[in-house]
Amino acid sequence: MTTLTVTAPRAPARLGRFVLDRFRPRIYVTYGLLWVLALEGSAVSAAGTAWRPSAATGIRVISVVLALLFLRMLDEQKDLAHDRVHHPDRPLVTGAVTAAELRGAMAVVAAVVTGLNAALSTAAVLLVLAALGYALLLVPLERWCPAVRDRPLLGLAVTYPVQLLLGGYVYGSLVAAGTVTAGPGGALLLVLCAGVFLHFEFARKTAWEAAPGAGLYSAALGPRRAAAVTVGFAAGAVVCEILLFAPRGLLALLPCAPAVLAVHGARRFLAAGRGGWPMLPAAVFVAGTHLALTALAVLR
């Protein structure tokens, strides 16, 4: 009881430091914001309706950002054994934050997200909680099947659906609200967003050399094949953009322009023959594509 009394008042400050260290709001919040604006705006404009951000948009943005924070807190606990060996400076390893504090914060996040989406629809609540619930299921799954944790490609195949479910939440909540009608265009839009995200995901884990415990995709595929897959995801996103927006004219091809950065990143990586994939072009590709999609929705 004494320990609880002493540590409880300090928990918000400790969690705040954890967020700044491991969540990096300028990255995660920016990504969540741009992703939701691009997905919602594209879904609405593709349906032939003028789009402007609304209060419901704000709820979706906050919900996705909080869900990303929930996932970050969960990953920190799942990776504890690995971090003790390879990342001894992480907050949970050093005791800067405790697992109990992270679990308490996750419960608060889930409650806030539920309350926010109750203002939209029951379907929105169920969809966002489905994403969080799937993430929680990964904890026992990785315990029962170590290969999910130890084999990067298998781990990606199993964990990526969390992102897909979050995209489905944004789109599904629009359908539930009657803003858009469900159709093949929605599936294509989710595939587009997947290509954008997976380009960056593969880029950050592709390198010519693999340090112990790095869990690189290039360690399993080889650097050149990993580079081809990385560019392939960007190319897949461009194909989706053309299928969705080309009928609107040349301006609608604006979201394809950032793909030049994916090609530039690949050329630099292959020409260097050492080191990792240049992350700046990959990050700007993600931000640029989402910004272009949002601009296209506003300009319709």
Side-chain angles (χ1 to χ4, degrees):
M1 182 65 71
T2 302
T3 302
L4 179 62
T5 303
V6 172
T7 60
R10 299 178 184 175
R14 288 157 63 89
L15 288 166
R17 288 191 291 271
F18 169 85
V19 169
L20 293 176
D21 180 37
R22 299 295 298 138
F23 188 65
R24 291 173 290 175
R26 65 187 177 84
I27 295 176
Y28 285 88
V29 174
T30 301
Y31 170 70
L33 171 66
L34 294 180
W35 181 24
V36 173
L37 293 181
L39 180 51
E40 179 182 310
S42 296
V44 174
S45 65
T49 307
W51 175 79
R52 292 295 183 273
S54 64
T57 308
I59 290 175
R60 295 183 184 103
V61 170
I62 294 170
S63 297
V64 166
V65 170
L66 287 177
L68 294 176
L69 176 58
F70 182 99
L71 298 177
R72 179 67 265 159
M73 291 176 170
L74 182 62
D75 284 346
E76 203 74 9
Q77 296 168 76
K78 286 196 305 173
D79 298 341
L80 180 58
H82 178 274
D83 289 342
R84 282 186 175 131
V85 177
H86 299 287
H87 304 286
D89 59 337
R90 295 278 170 87
L92 193 55
V93 178
T94 63
V97 71
T98 68
E101 288 168 340
L102 291 179
R103 288 193 293 269
M106 288 166 62
V108 171
V109 166
V112 171
V113 167
T114 299
L116 286 172
N117 284 278
L120 297 182
S121 65
T122 301
V125 173
L126 295 176
L127 287 167
V128 73
L129 289 182
L132 302 186
Y134 183 88
L136 290 173
L137 287 176
L138 295 175
V139 177
L141 177 61
E142 291 186 9
R143 189 179 304 122
W144 296 332
C145 183
V148 173
R149 180 183 63 250
D150 300 333
R151 294 168 55 186
L153 292 174
L154 177 61
L156 178 63
V158 172
T159 59
Y160 177 71
V162 177
Q163 288 273 339
L164 197 58
L165 286 169
L166 283 176
Y169 149 71
V170 174
Y171 184 78
S173 65
L174 289 168
V175 173
T179 307
V180 301
T181 302
L188 201 57
L189 191 53
L190 292 177
V191 172
L192 190 167
C193 291
V196 173
F197 172 83
L198 289 171
H199 170 76
F200 181 83
E201 171 65 16
F202 256 75
R204 75 184 186 93
K205 291 190 176 183
T206 292
W208 289 96
E209 308 88 11
L216 299 182
Y217 303 127
S218 52
L221 295 173
R224 287 183 174 82
R225 279 191 291 179
V229 173
T230 304
V231 174
F233 281 122
V238 169
V239 170
C240 291
E241 288 162 354
I242 292 172
L243 292 173
L244 281 167
F245 306 118
R248 300 189 202 174
L250 290 178
L251 180 62
L253 297 179
L254 176 66
C256 298
V260 174
L261 294 166
V263 177
H264 173 65
R267 290 183 62 183
R268 283 181 55 188
F269 175 75
L270 294 172
R274 59 186 176 85
W277 191 283
M279 292 311 301
L280 183 59
V284 177
F285 166 74
V286 174
T289 301
H290 287 147
L291 283 170
L293 289 170
T294 304
L296 184 62
V298 171
L299 293 172
R300 179 179 174 82

